[in-house]
Amino acid sequence: MASETPILLVALDVPLAKHFDFLCKDASSDDIGRLVVVPFSGKQVVGIAVGVAHSSEVPSEKLRAVDLVQRATPPLASDILALVRFCERYYHAPFGQIAINIVPPLLRIAARQLKPPRATKPRRKTATTASAAVAFTAPTLNTDQQMAFDAISGALGSYSAWLLEGITGSGKTEVYLHAIAATLARGQQALVLVPEINLTPQFMKHIVARFPAQVIVTQHSGMAAGARLVDWRLAESGAADIVVGTRLAIFTPMPKLGLIVVDEEHDASFKQQEGVRYSARDVAVFRASTIGCPIVLGSATPAIETLDNVTRGRFKRLALTQRAVAAATLPRVEFIHLDSEKAPDGLTATLLAAIDATIKRGEQAMVFINRRGYAPALVCAACGWMPECRRCSARMVFHRGINKLRCHHCGAETKPPKACADCHETTFHPAGQGTERIEAALREALPTARIARVDRDATRRKGSAAAIFDATSAGALDILVGTQMLAKGHDFPNITLVGVVNADGAVFSADFRAAERMAQQLMQVAGRAGRSALPGRVLVQTRHADHPVYQALQAHDYARFVSAALVERQLMQLPPFTYLALLRAEAKQADKVNQFMRDAQHAAQRLSQSHAQADAVRVWEPVASTLERKAGYTRRQLMLQSPRRTALQTLLTALIAELRVSDNRSVKWVIDVDPIDV
Ligand code: ADP
Ligand code: ZN
Ligand code: ZN
């Protein structure tokens, strides 16, 4: 129906793939990308204007007026809107849901209060005293670094994608810094994505120290709302030269963006695991290609998909083959065979003796165990019963420090049971090890050692991880015990020994990507040893020293692991030989989600058969998710697999349209394209 008043088309944060029409008498195409506030379901909600029209299918008496068009702040830039469109198409998530959630929370809050957001004073990030040790001047690049830098800097100004593959300590950061300097010299901005900002304080210090006169801002979810907005605006106005952030930073508006760097590109944290399940790395490649700038993906252990992109000629590979510090060599990797040596409390006498000798020499050691808490289970000494979470299909993890059982999936906490639920006996034993137990065992065996634990529990307080890493650099600690938080990019020259405890479980997990992830983590952790003139050593406690993951680790040959993994993937027709998508669904009642999944499976089969043979998508049986029950919900997943991405995407589009029509309110579902845990 034609309308005299212009109609503003608004995308909302709702799970519906459509926009909504509202009257807006002064609407114009300049409003596209602006935040708006509209009446919706009896509430005022924030949306994004996506278009202007002069007619609507909605009957005029039902059309409502917008409450506010936020013109006090700039609209989302058109290239960011294009990025959202890409995510909408590729990840099959509604435009509004993506667009609203990339905007800093304070902008949304201000809009909802029908106010312009209050400006806070801009801050400048300055080099802190702790970074006094960091060189302000750039070192001379070695041959490998120079070749990599020449390639990247020569490509500035148009799209190109580079894998910067360099063993740990080979000086990738230095290549980034040079490439950033070349970008800034052209008057452009640089965007650097890192896995977890709090784990890369050294990286921040390097950047701040190297570019003291430039405006450097950050974007990550842990920032105070005011600071996040200030930094966003500096980026958006072009005033910020460098943006460093976690995955969400890929959506930061940067009018002069000239270079994107994704550090530790293999890291799983680049994939958002809730809400819109995007991969920031893959979105970054798309962004670089549309705006026309180079993207550099850096890693010592690239994702198998990334290596496949090199093989297919989509990315070009730049290799750094030597440790940058001349005297630094790769650590020697040795195995402690758990078949022939006992490990009470998780640590063998051999590993303890090696740690002791290390700290007696005045050097430092690191112990890596990929599980936090004291013990992954408590066991009844009489009958073997183990307390489980009431809302998840998972055992409760024993945290001795707070004397509680905690569910690592839903966060539920209880007191340890007084008596066994099955046999009523009252003696329990902790089973297996976590970081807390290894820490306790180390304290008992080496009472004078200065030990710190690094895991999510121990570093919850802001800045506590940074404090531990500073203390390590300053030599105030002897031993670090921790999870994969230890693996990421730290550079501690005095760490000469790395112990690996309890990695076997992850190596043999059901998830086909588990071995790849463990190979990456172990190579990263091992890379913490021997980063200076002091020789490094890695001791791995295992029952399976012949597993390809450990063999590759020992030979410092990640490529060898990748070759072995690729043979297996090809045999089983897994990525990168095929493309995957998961339909994930959950409901409070199991029969509801079962019925939904059966219907979805049949719909997918019917849709897949209507395609030409070559485009066939394989529709699997719905199965229970790895964690079948979480927070009281029963969870199922349906895998769709195809050798052709377009065939998979076409089927997903059709399937989602059917699922949305069925509108089953008791079942929550989401599509996960390129899932990383299956
Ligand atoms: P990566 O990120 O590849 O693990 P880093 O960038 O942390 O490696 O570099 C490892 C160490 O080598 C750092 O201490 C860094 O300052 C130093 N370094 C890097 N490049 C050079 C160079 N060309 N000359 C001297 N030292 C270098
Ligand atoms: Zn019992
Ligand atoms: Zn739980």
Side-chain angles (χ1 to χ4, degrees), residues 345-364:
D345 284 318
L347 297 169
T348 56
T350 306
L351 181 55
L352 278 172
I355 295 172
D356 192 30
T358 302
I359 57 185
K360 287 213 170 96
R361 282 196 305 272
E363 297 162 14
Q364 295 166 305

Side-chain angles (χ1 to χ4, degrees), residues 389 392 407 410:
C389 177
C392 306
C407 173
C410 72

